[in-house]
Amino acid sequence: MAAPELRHRTPPTVTLSGAPLADTPLLTDGSVQAVAVPVAPARPGDDGLVPGVGTAQVAARYGIDLAELAERAGMAGAAGEAHVVHLPRPAGSAVRLPWSGLPLRIVLVGIGDGGPGALRRAGAALARSVRGLNAVATTLGDDARADASTVATLTRAVVEGYLLAAYRMPSVAASDEPKPSADLVLLGRDGQRTGAAVVAAKIDAAATWLVRDLANTPSNVKTPEWMAERARRLGGDAGLSVEVLGPTELAAQGFGAVLAVGAGSASPPRLVVLRHTPPEPGGKHVVIVGKGITYDTGGLDIKPRESMMTMKTDMAGSAVALATVVGAAQSRSIHRVTAVLPLAENHFGGSSYRPGDVVTTYGGTTVEVMNTDAEGRMVLADGLAFADATLEPDVLIDVATLTGAARIGLGTGIGALYATDDELAGALVAAGDASGERVWPMPLVEDYAPTTDSEIADVRQTANEPKVGAGSVFAALFLRHFVGQRRWAHLDIAGPARATTDKHEVTEGATGFGARLLLQYLADLR
Ligand code: BES
Ligand code: MN
Ligand code: ZN
């Protein structure tokens, strides 16, 4: 029985209209159905909300006191608030209202402190309030008093938030005719800087959409082979070199951990390597290894159904690595970027690997298997050792939905960061703050390192006694055995990779967390 073909959505378009709001024909030619304007919170000592850029012109054109209206609607001006004002039509042709011929919806959008993080939320709130319309025009992110670079930064944040919140899951439901997201028209700005900001926002959002689409795809569709084919296609389209290793090549080259984890599945494993090589030398070489477990049953150490339910997202790390290298090519990164995707399904069957097995990983390090559900660190061990031995990375980063412990420790809002290099850790924290995908530094506790000692192999896969705690730290300590002397960072995204509800720029299901963080890291890397 063939798996169903999923319907993917296309993102809304974004256009810049240099025309100032006061005289743009866009508002009267019927092409947009809503005008969105910013509303800031009252300043200390002031009592009223502060109308943002464009609000006065809209108020003048409509003949409505918008600040007063926002106040009556109960708005505080906080980022994430959006209020749609539906204007009435005249009763009969004899009556002429001041807004005659103008869009009949005004969206009042809170912008909080007006910074990039707040405007990302404002963009997201706007996207959610104009679903089903053809287009919305807005002055959000514009600021006549700010310099071009600030306007570009804020515009990028608005567009990013808008596009991220406009995401819908791929679906096969016959009944499901999703309301398309309205296209976005940015009023009052044009010029090279703003144009580049919009392009950057589109690349960022496309990377996140890609991770979400792949991670939201059911696991009966996304076998390792399917993932590898998607990577081949997407990589090829982006001008990357793509190499796919199947079971035979994996065996010949010694990827014992990927093969062990994939052994219980009817869908055999793959390993994909995608390379972005900039035309000019001189940049760094960043290698990103992403955990690609297309489904995690736990293997013979089978998971209870509640924990298994969400495990189609367990390849999010590999999707992040893929989206990052594609995004690096699209944004013409000056750095070499290589993505390594070890792809396997962790299932149980007659040929499953077992607790107690000894597995030889890439390069010869042997691992004593303690728990078949700790499969992520196994495939990463192969991927990291392969990267260290053959790719000569200046920076080695892995990204993985690795441990329930990371989610318990930090929740679903931020990721856990481990690193062997303080500068690298600092750069990733900074990229997290700038992109809105935050990570928190965690310790590689040296006192715990002996937990990975084994009597029968080079390394033990997990702590001997269960429930000793610090599961995310142990996993990181295990991975460190496979990175040689590289500058290495490990991102445990088990928490933020999924969301149970829509919130700001995050959408329910797979969130895509990690791609924008890594693209920001690459953009800032010198
Ligand atoms: N994929 C899971 C981790 C996970 C849990 C991700 C919850 C997202 C949400 C991983 O493969 C796993 O099963 N980890 C085990 C490791 C343990 C057996 C040492 C865990 O965290 O319980
Ligand atoms: Mn597992
Ligand atoms: Zn897993």
Side-chain angles (χ1 to χ4, degrees), residues 85-168:
V85 179
H86 292 272
L87 297 170
R89 288 178 202 284
S93 50
V95 187
R96 218 185 135 70
L97 294 169
W99 50 83
S100 174
L102 292 168
L104 287 179
R105 289 176 190 79
I106 297 174
V107 190
L108 304 166
V109 185
I111 56 164
D113 65 11
L119 282 173
R120 209 180 288 121
R121 292 179 171 193
L126 175 59
R128 294 208 167 87
S129 58
V130 295
R131 272 227 159 99
L133 304 183
N134 287 334
V136 56
T138 187
T139 58
L140 269 181
D142 194 15
D143 190 339
R145 288 153 310 180
D147 55 56
S149 123
T150 306
V151 171
T153 304
L154 298 180
T155 300
R156 175 171 170 176
V158 169
V159 174
E160 229 168 77
Y162 188 91
L163 294 176
L164 291 171
Y167 177 80
R168 310 308 303 259

Side-chain angles (χ1 to χ4, degrees), residues 181-451:
S181 318
D183 290 334
L184 183 64
V185 180
L186 298 164
L187 295 168
R189 295 147 270 193
D190 49 15
Q192 230 175 15
R193 265 202 140 113
T194 328
V198 172
V199 170
K202 284 182 180 170
I203 291 172
D204 265 10
T208 305
W209 275 52
L210 172 59
V211 180
R212 289 175 183 173
D213 272 352
L214 292 171
N216 282 328
T217 295
S219 296
N220 59 331
V221 176
K222 66 170 169 213
T223 60
E225 181 189 12
W226 182 93
M227 275 291 293
E229 282 316 309
R230 295 296 301 144
R232 204 198 285 280
R233 165 68 76 86
L234 293 160
D237 290 350
L240 306 172
S241 91
V242 187
E243 202 182 329
V244 178
L245 309 185
T248 315
E249 292 94 346
L250 290 171
Q253 295 180 38
F255 288 90
V258 174
L259 288 166
V261 169
S265 170
S267 310
R270 295 286 187 277
L271 185 127
V272 185
V273 182
L274 304 104
R275 289 181 171 86
H276 161 68
T277 311
E280 307 283 336
K284 298 266 164 46
H285 185 201
V286 179
V287 175
I288 304 165
V289 182
K291 171 178 173 180
I293 298 301
T294 61
Y295 196 74
D296 184 9
T297 66
L300 294 178
D301 289 300
I302 191 169
K303 288 181 183 293
R305 74 162 297 286
E306 296 73 33
S307 337
M308 208 188 290
M309 255 325 277
T310 57
M311 284 301 138
K312 70 175 181 182
T313 341
D314 212 22
M315 37 51 73
S318 67
V320 167
L322 170 62
T324 303
V325 71
V326 167
Q330 290 169 342
S331 55
R332 301 203 168 83
S333 172
I334 57 166
H335 303 292
R336 274 170 72 199
V337 182
T338 303
V340 177
L341 283 47
L343 301 161
E345 183 178 39
N346 188 28
H347 219 309
F348 52 88
S351 47
S352 285
Y353 81 133
R354 316 156 189 78
D357 281 2
V358 172
V359 170
T360 305
T361 58
Y362 187 94
T365 303
T366 53
V367 175
E368 180 185 2
V369 176
M370 307 297 289
N371 188 322
T372 61
D373 199 9
E375 83 297 338
R377 68 195 73 182
M378 298 294 290
V379 302
L380 290 176
D382 267 357
L384 289 167
F386 165 73
D388 174 41
T390 69
L391 300 176
E392 292 181 37
D394 297 308
V395 175
L396 182 54
I397 301 175
D398 75 77
V399 50
T401 49
L402 204 61
T403 65
R407 195 177 50 163
I408 291 167
L410 295 174
T412 55
I414 66 175
L417 162 68
Y418 297 83
T420 54
D421 182 286
D422 288 343
E423 198 188 320
L424 174 57
L428 285 165
V429 168
D433 291 346
S435 64
E437 295 187 332
R438 296 181 59 217
V439 289
W440 197 258
M442 301 280 284
L444 287 158
V445 184
E446 291 306 334
D447 278 351
Y448 297 167
T451 51

Side-chain angles (χ1 to χ4, degrees), residues 166-179:
Y167 177 80
R168 310 308 303 259
M169 286 190 203
S171 163
V172 293
S175 61
D176 174 72
E177 267 317 321
K179 288 185 184 171

